Amino acid sequence: MPVEYQFTEEVNKSFDRAAAYVDADPTLLAQVKRNNSLYHLSFPLRRDDGSIEVIEAWRAEHSQHRTPTKGGFRFSPNVNADEVMALAALMTYKCAVVNVPFGGAKGGVRVDTRKYSEAELERITRRFTFELWRKHFIGPAIDVPAPDMGTGPREMAWVADTYAALSGTELNASACVTGKPVSQGGVAGRNEATGRGVMYGLREACNVPEDMRRLGLDPGLDGKRFVIQGLGNVGYHAATFMIENGAVLVGVGEIRGGIASPKGIDLEALMQYRRETGTVLGFPGAEDLPTSIAALELDCDLLVPAALENQITMENAPRIKAKIIGEAANGPTTDDADQFLRGRGTLIVPDIYLNAGGVTVSYFEWLKNLQHVSFGRMEKRFDQSAYRRLLQAIEGATTKVFSMDENVSLTRGADELDIVNSGLEETMAFAYRQIRQTCEQREGLDLRTAAMIRAIDKVVVTYEELGIFP
Ligand code: NAD
């Protein structure tokens, strides 16, 4: 009999393990762990053929220790209350790990997006937004959604437009949702931010010489053979940036099957092939795998699950060969598999740290919407003139004459994308150092428990400082 995994229970097991290290009132810890609010709703959808269907949806706000709460909208046929609450809890811990001042939330609509037209998906998104607005479950200061599985910039634009229409003259209305297209108040770099953050996080992990020595690997991403599960927003961008940094893609697991090629897979050619055929199977030069999940068991240095939860379980963990697992998806490893793999020495870079790039850049987008000006607009020209004067001063005081190329590159002022990417890189690098330091303070502590200890500590401090109202 396959084991049934309850997602919230899995998240709570890692919470409990970390909470044992946190010096706080056990009742306060129980409060930190609990989901604060759950809204379960049904609404009718008029389909294109005139028939009516009932749509089920959820929004969980796990913790209001900081507001607004923040977390994605997932459109998937498997969404349920347990999944949404588990994902909302992960959002609370994730925001705390990367110092993003939000509580955690998550929303889900139970639909298989492949079975609905674009017009139907728009009606679903707009009606869901309206229902949340009616109950005060959305707003720039209340709860701010973002993309997740099955949604993207298009859906976020519909959310923003619906909220703006309902809220009338609210000046900050566009900050009610993040992950919008840049032309609709989004921020440059948000679409690829989670995947870029995954690369920064794995680069940090691979740059710790003693950890790589223990695994028998060379430091750095360069030359690392990796397998990815899920070539969606997170998986595709993570793979792109990993390849840019010298890693070699040797396997892919997708919804309809997997492929492997020890010599390396051309990612862009594969994406083009999938667009044309609807599958990764049959990709020239690669071997088809019997099942999609078989990709997780391929011979590689680094395994990046980037699709959905409960993929690495006790059923397949004993056959996993990767020495490093980078959790780009939320909750891809069950607690028992996590313990088993750690016991075997696998380095697991946990979801609550590794995929936090998305919420980090969502935070930047929210700030941009509140300040009503894009990053870099006010200072770019000023910085360029200051750098130019500096170069001229150097040329005046020395025999050095800067070439045209040097002049251009050394005097360039930062634009929005530069600022966003540098803020993201700093956030991921700083958080990794903090997590690693916590590991060093306690013999044998793994990265997930260390990240969770840091998260719980921060939430507990906020509760203690606020006191209990009334
Ligand atoms: P997405 O919908 O863009 O992509 C998901 C991909 O996984 C698709 O290519 C889909 O075909 C594939 N997939 C689905 N089921 C699969 C299966 N059983 N086996 C193999 N492949 C399968 O979703 P996304 O936004 O990339 O999210 C992926 C994961 O990352 C989720 O766990 C999500 O919660 C997490 N996440 C997303 C973001 C974000 O900014 N989008 C941020 C943080 C975490």
Side-chain angles (χ1 to χ4, degrees):
M1 270 285 281
V3 184
E4 282 279 322
Y5 291 102
Q6 293 292 317
F7 196 1
T8 308
E9 224 174 86
E10 297 302 304
V11 173
N12 286 346
K13 281 181 196 160
S14 81
F15 180 98
D16 291 340
R17 193 169 307 116
Y21 293 92
V22 178
D23 181 20
D25 180 331
T27 322
L28 178 53
L29 289 170
Q31 168 63 45
V32 172
K33 184 164 75 169
R34 286 293 280 264
N35 184 76
N36 283 0
S37 346
L38 176 69
Y39 179 28
H40 177 200
L41 58 151
S42 306
F43 54 83
L45 164 74
R46 188 175 297 282
R47 303 227 38 184
D48 293 342
D49 65 6
S51 64
I52 294 174
E53 194 178 305
V54 179
I55 302 288
E56 245 189 313
W58 290 262
R59 182 75 180 169
E61 291 175 352
H62 173 260
S63 176
Q64 280 95 353
H65 72 289
R66 290 204 191 282
T67 47
T69 50
K70 184 104 192 66
F73 272 175
R74 175 173 287 199
F75 284 11
S76 133
N78 307 317
V79 167
N80 57 48
D82 172 63
E83 181 178 79
V84 169
M85 285 195 290
L87 290 165
L90 287 176
M91 284 305 296
T92 295
Y93 311 137
K94 193 181 303 181
C95 289
V97 165
V98 289
N99 294 319
V100 164
F102 297 141
K106 204 75 175 196
V109 180
R110 188 182 283 169
V111 282
D112 182 344
T113 53
R114 289 170 302 184
K115 297 189 177 144
Y116 296 85
S117 69
E118 183 170 335
E120 288 169 338
L121 289 172
E122 179 173 353
R123 289 201 285 280
I124 292 170
T125 309
R126 287 184 182 277
R127 179 66 186 253
F128 184 36
T129 307
F130 169 70
E131 296 294 341
L132 295 177
W133 174 82
R134 279 220 276 209
K135 297 278 186 202
H136 297 286
F137 263 77
I138 186 168
I142 303 170
D143 187 355
V144 181
D148 193 76
M149 258 181 91
T151 63
R154 179 184 69 173
E155 286 74 16
M156 301 306 115
W158 293 332
V159 172
D161 185 59
T162 309
Y163 182 86
L166 294 166
S167 67
T169 55
E170 189 176 331
L171 182 63
N172 293 325
S174 69
C176 75
V177 63
T178 59
K180 303 179 289 289
V182 177
S183 56
Q184 298 294 325
V187 75
R190 170 60 184 92
N191 197 35
E192 60 272 31
T194 311
R196 186 182 278 279
V198 167
M199 179 276 287
Y200 286 143
L202 289 174
R203 192 188 66 188
E204 290 304 310
C206 291
N207 278 347
V208 180
E210 55 270 37
D211 288 351
M212 292 305 106
R213 207 174 306 122
R214 182 176 65 73
L215 297 170
L217 296 170
D218 291 331
L221 279 179
D222 197 24
K224 295 260 176 324
R225 296 165 309 124
F226 76 104
V227 167
I228 202 133
Q229 185 198 34
L231 275 183
N233 177 290
V234 177
Y236 165 69
H237 288 113
T240 303
F241 296 121
M242 303 254 304
I243 292 167
E244 250 179 51
N245 279 268
V248 183
L249 178 64
V250 295
V252 170
E254 246 301 329
I255 193 160
R256 294 204 182 100
I259 55 166
S261 173
K263 283 190 261 137
I265 294 167
D266 179 337
L267 180 62
E268 289 311 319
L270 176 64
M271 296 302 283
Q272 179 65 25
Y273 178 83
R274 187 175 71 161
R275 271 192 295 276
E276 286 163 6
T277 63
T279 174
V280 295
L281 291 172
F283 181 62
E287 174 204 341
D288 284 349
L289 300 172
T291 59
S292 147
I293 200 108
L296 303 182
E297 298 168 24
L298 287 169
D299 182 28
C300 63
D301 303 315
L302 225 164
L303 172 62
V304 184
L308 64 172
E309 59 268 17
N310 298 342
Q311 296 300 293
I312 301 172
T313 65
M314 274 316 286
E315 202 283 310
N316 57 2
R319 297 189 299 278
I320 283 179
K321 299 178 191 68
K323 294 180 174 165
I324 307 171
I325 296 178
E327 294 187 334
N330 282 308
T333 316
T334 58
D335 188 70
D336 49 6
D338 180 71
Q339 292 201 59
F340 170 83
L341 288 164
R342 271 194 282 124
R344 222 171 58 174
T346 310
L347 182 72
I348 303 181
V349 188
D351 49 2
I352 56 168
Y353 161 69
L354 195 64
N355 67 36
V359 76
T360 300
V361 175
S362 274
Y363 170 46
F364 300 158
E365 181 175 332
W366 182 76
L367 292 174
K368 173 184 177 178
N369 294 153
L370 295 183
Q371 69 192 12
H372 298 272
V373 63
S374 57
F375 295 111
R377 178 168 174 176
M378 305 300 282
E379 59 274 41
K380 183 174 175 173
R381 243 344 134 90
F382 181 84
D383 288 348
Q384 277 176 197
S385 328
Y387 300 149
R388 199 161 294 125
R389 287 197 299 278
L390 196 62
L391 291 197
Q392 281 161 359
I394 294 170
E395 284 180 335
T398 66
T399 55
K400 170 79 186 165
V401 178
F402 292 101
S403 69
M404 188 61 107
D405 283 352
E406 282 173 326
N407 252 293
V408 171
S409 80
L410 292 172
T411 61
R412 199 171 74 83
D415 61 22
E416 184 165 273
L417 187 60
D418 297 319
I419 293 172
V420 164
N421 287 343
S422 111
L424 173 60
E425 184 170 8
E426 171 57 18
T427 302
M428 296 304 293
F430 181 69
Y432 196 81
R433 281 201 300 278
Q434 288 195 315
I435 296 167
R436 193 68 187 46
Q437 259 172 23
T438 305
C439 285
E440 279 164 14
Q441 285 158 7
R442 296 178 177 91
E443 180 72 27
L445 202 64
D446 60 291
L447 292 170
R448 188 190 313 280
T449 310
M452 194 62 114
I453 292 171
R454 297 198 65 86
I456 298 171
D457 256 337
K458 290 179 197 173
V459 182
V460 160
V461 166
T462 312
Y463 266 108
E464 285 174 347
E465 286 169 355
L466 289 173
I468 292 175
F469 174 82

